[in-house]
Amino acid sequence: MLGSGVHSVLEDEDGILWFSTNMGLSRFDGVKFETHNLEEPSSFLWGSCMDSEGNLWFGMEGKPGRPPAVCVWDGEEMEVVHLDDYRKEH
């Protein structure tokens, strides 16, 4: 597992456990851990939740010089959503 501080744990619809850590995102399928690389290196991930469509959302730590962001897993890929960009589009 990536990191030593776990800030949230979330179970998805397939029973996979997702760990938001002080170094990024890890998941456990009951056998092995996998680390998901984000475009934001060594990001703290805080809270997590699942929306009504089964997408997983993870809050990212704000850092100086970077806009606030969340990352979302849609079951196939992880996307980092910069909230400043999202507000401009919507």
Side-chain angles (χ1 to χ4, degrees):
M1 181 163 63
L2 180 66
S4 59
V6 175
H7 301 290
S8 71
V9 179
L10 179 65
E11 183 176 2
D12 69 17
E13 294 173 330
D14 296 322
I16 306 292
L17 295 176
W18 294 79
F19 298 87
S20 301
T21 76
N22 63 322
M23 296 292 290
L25 185 64
S26 295
R27 65 183 232 158
F28 182 67
D29 65 5
V31 177
K32 67 182 184 313
F33 280 96
E34 279 185 32
T35 298
H36 283 270
N37 294 325
L38 305 172
E39 58 185 61
E40 307 289 333
S42 301
S43 291
F44 274 67
L45 295 177
W46 296 100
S48 57
C49 65
M50 182 170 30
D51 67 22
S52 61
E53 296 176 7
N55 298 312
L56 307 181
W57 293 83
F58 304 92
M60 297 179 76
E61 175 186 40
K63 293 190 177 187
R66 285 197 237 169
V70 295
C71 57
V72 59
W73 171 258
D74 66 5
E76 294 183 23
E77 64 182 6
M78 186 70 65
E79 176 186 2
V80 175
V81 178
H82 294 281
L83 300 179
D84 285 349
D85 295 339
Y86 181 81
R87 282 187 280 216
K88 291 174 190 170
E89 294 172 6
H90 296 90

